[in-house]
Amino acid sequence: MKTENATGDASRLYQAILPHLQGALWNDVRNVHTLAWMVTGMLLSRRSTPSFWLPHVHSRAAFAQSTERRFRRWLGNKHLHPSLLYGPIITRALREWGQDTLVLALDTSVLFEKFCLIRVSVLFRGRAVPLVSRVLEHSSAQVDTDELLPVLAEAKGLLDFVGIRQVRLLADRGFCDTDLMAWLQHCGWTYRIRIKSTLILSTPDGQRLCKIGDVKLQPRETACFHHVRLTGRQFGPVHVVLGRPSDDPEQWQVVSNEPTSVETFGEYGERFQIEEGFLDEKSGLFELEASKLRDVKSLERLVMVISVATLLLVSEGLDVVERGDRRRVDPHWQRGLSYLKIGHKAMSYALSRGQRFFRTLRLRGGPDPEPPKPRKRDQPSSLDSLKNGWHVSFHFIS
């Protein structure tokens, strides 16, 4: 049952959100209040379309059209830069990360068959929390490295600001580019990137070893190549692991600037969390694909609003779990929901009972105090099955 009209939930939600936004670089204080109402409307309506936020917004406007026009002016305001607004919010959440390695995922997603969303996300206990987002008018998910590096540079600047140096980046084979790998190496980051079968492996002195696609493995066999070079450019040294998890002919191929093993597949497999994040945004929790915005900059600001909402919910989920209150909102004996969904349920629970919520904004490093409950119906993933492979061979090239 919805209670916002009867108990003033929207106003209380707005008041809980506003303090977390006020530290950003605002050119006009009215803009921060508008953003707080936009996030409020999005969380209560679970939609990314401004017209769905209107029943939840309290304002002096006499007509709904006036409020909707206010939101659309905000989304179209060229003086509001998402990087300058979201950066202070996400860095505040990462202040308590600690010394643990922070894992990032790089990926792209096509919107409305016209735009491409470039996203760098923090992988946090099964969820991808946006760190940097960029929208381009580009109808393909394939983006040149020249477009990616400014996004990654912005992510590095944010992490350097909060003193996080231990970083690992995960990316799919669409990002297999030696210029990107060289940039990551220069930053001091480690990486796990899936590579294409057409790449050539060579020894450090330039002698060709093989083409990746020519290495034929038996089912559940893994092969590691250490201290090799990639492509005709002789990029390296790098470390490569190949694996065939089942009778399926497809092989998994991952490159890293750290020595590889069977465990590398598990590390790379964390990348799929960002795809779950895109699903939440586009058709799950926020229905981004129902939005009618078709302007690059307006869409980028809308994506920022979604990023703020996601961060708040995941942070609330973390707070609930660490307080030992998870079972008040999660019906599973062991954790069966993501931190995002726990946060959303906890918000609704607190609103219906007049309790406090969104008290903190933080993402803390370290192991998950309540790992998710394994589901019996799930089959082992192809990546997991490699860990129980029949044979692992190592090739050390010197």
Side-chain angles (χ1 to χ4, degrees):
M1 181 181 70
K2 294 185 177 181
T3 61
E4 60 270 16
N5 293 330
T7 63
D9 287 354
S11 181
R12 292 179 46 242
L13 179 55
Y14 163 83
Q15 293 294 340
I17 292 170
L18 184 62
H20 299 299
L21 308 182
Q22 291 175 322
L25 303 176
W26 295 100
N27 61 342
D28 188 325
V29 69
R30 291 173 295 182
N31 288 323
V32 66
H33 293 281
T34 301
L35 175 59
W37 278 119
M38 293 166 75
V39 177
T40 297
M42 182 175 289
L43 289 175
L44 290 175
S45 68
R46 300 182 60 170
R47 298 293 293 266
S48 296
T49 307
S51 59
F52 282 85
W53 307 339
L54 303 182
H56 310 288
V57 177
H58 298 184
S59 75
R60 290 174 293 182
F63 302 106
Q65 186 183 56
S66 301
T67 302
E68 183 175 10
R69 199 161 47 233
R70 171 188 173 190
F71 292 150
R72 294 197 179 276
R73 280 199 304 265
W74 193 100
L75 293 170
N77 189 337
K78 64 181 181 180
H79 300 295
L80 296 176
H81 303 285
S83 298
L84 298 179
L85 302 182
Y86 185 66
I89 300 171
I90 185 65
T91 51
R92 192 180 318 122
L94 290 170
R95 285 179 303 181
E96 298 180 25
W97 184 264
Q99 300 303 311
D100 295 277
T101 297
L102 185 141
V103 182
L104 300 177
L106 170 66
D107 208 350
T108 58
S109 181
V110 175
L111 303 174
F112 316 121
E113 300 182 350
K114 182 179 179 181
F115 304 101
C116 179
L117 169 61
I118 304 173
R119 168 68 56 75
V120 179
S121 290
V122 176
L123 300 187
F124 181 75
R125 302 179 183 179
R127 271 301 161 194
V129 179
L131 180 63
V132 177
S133 303
R134 189 71 46 80
V135 178
L136 308 175
E137 190 164 350
H138 185 73
S139 59
S140 170
Q142 293 280 21
V143 179
D144 292 339
T145 300
D146 289 343
E147 299 282 3
L148 298 173
L149 292 184
V151 179
L152 289 167
E154 183 179 331
K156 184 178 186 303
L158 294 174
L159 298 181
D160 286 349
F161 178 76
V162 290
I164 298 176
R165 302 286 189 270
Q166 301 295 322
V167 180
R168 179 189 304 144
L169 183 113
L170 313 178
D172 201 8
R173 55 189 161 197
F175 305 95
C176 178
D177 182 87
T178 54
D179 288 338
L180 175 60
M181 296 179 202
W183 187 90
L184 296 170
Q185 186 80 26
H186 178 75
C187 290
W189 292 4
T190 61
Y191 57 81
R192 310 285 188 267
I193 301 175
R194 192 174 178 186
I195 55 178
K196 301 174 182 178
S197 299
T198 55
L199 291 187
I200 296 172
L201 296 183
S202 304
T203 63
D205 61 3
Q207 297 183 37
R208 174 171 170 153
L209 284 173
C210 61
K211 187 168 74 171
I212 295 288
D214 292 338
V215 180
K216 304 300 182 184
L217 303 176
Q218 296 299 315
R220 300 179 69 188
E221 181 183 5
T222 304
C224 298
F225 294 83
H226 291 166
H227 309 293
V228 294
R229 294 184 178 273
L230 284 179
T231 74
R233 293 181 57 185
Q234 300 291 309
F235 176 80
V238 295
H239 311 276
V240 174
V241 59
L242 313 178
R244 183 179 171 190
S246 64
D247 292 333
D248 192 293
E250 182 182 17
Q251 295 184 169
W252 289 87
Q253 301 140 183
V254 178
V255 63
S256 173
N257 55 347
E258 293 183 310
T260 54
S261 67
V262 177
E263 297 299 322
T264 303
F265 290 113
E267 294 167 349
Y268 169 78
E270 296 178 40
R271 188 199 70 82
F272 296 104
Q273 296 171 26
I274 195 172
E275 297 184 359
E276 293 290 329
F278 283 140
L279 185 63
D280 283 332
E281 292 183 7
K282 295 172 70 173
S283 58
L285 188 61
F286 297 118
E287 299 284 350
L288 175 59
E289 291 198 322
S291 167
K292 300 184 184 301
L293 291 181
R294 297 298 185 271
D295 171 72
V296 169
K297 293 303 179 182
S298 297
L299 196 54
E300 193 166 276
R301 293 184 191 96
L302 179 61
V303 167
M304 190 211 75
V305 179
I306 294 175
S307 298
V308 172
T310 300
L311 176 59
L312 285 167
L313 293 181
V314 173
S315 175
E316 181 68 9
L318 170 65
D319 192 42
V320 168
V321 169
E322 291 193 342
R323 293 202 315 265
D325 291 336
R326 190 264 308 167
R327 290 184 61 198
R328 293 183 184 274
V329 297
D330 181 358
H332 302 88
W333 184 266
Q334 293 178 263
R335 181 165 74 85
L337 300 175
S338 69
Y339 276 75
L340 180 77
K341 292 182 179 178
I342 290 173
H344 193 273
K345 287 182 176 294
M347 178 196 77
S348 301
Y349 181 92
L351 281 173
S352 67
R353 290 161 176 79
Q355 298 175 355
R356 291 182 60 199
F357 57 99
F358 292 163
R359 289 177 283 189
T360 62
L361 185 67
R362 59 192 168 92
L363 302 177
R364 192 195 301 275
D368 191 338
E370 284 201 65
K373 174 185 177 182
R375 295 175 295 182
K376 294 181 180 180
R377 66 177 182 275
D378 289 347
Q379 296 297 322
S381 70
S382 57
L383 292 175
D384 289 338
S385 66
L386 283 165
K387 297 182 180 180
N388 300 315
W390 292 337
H391 177 65
V392 181
S393 58
F394 292 89
H395 304 267
F396 295 90
I397 311 299
S398 59

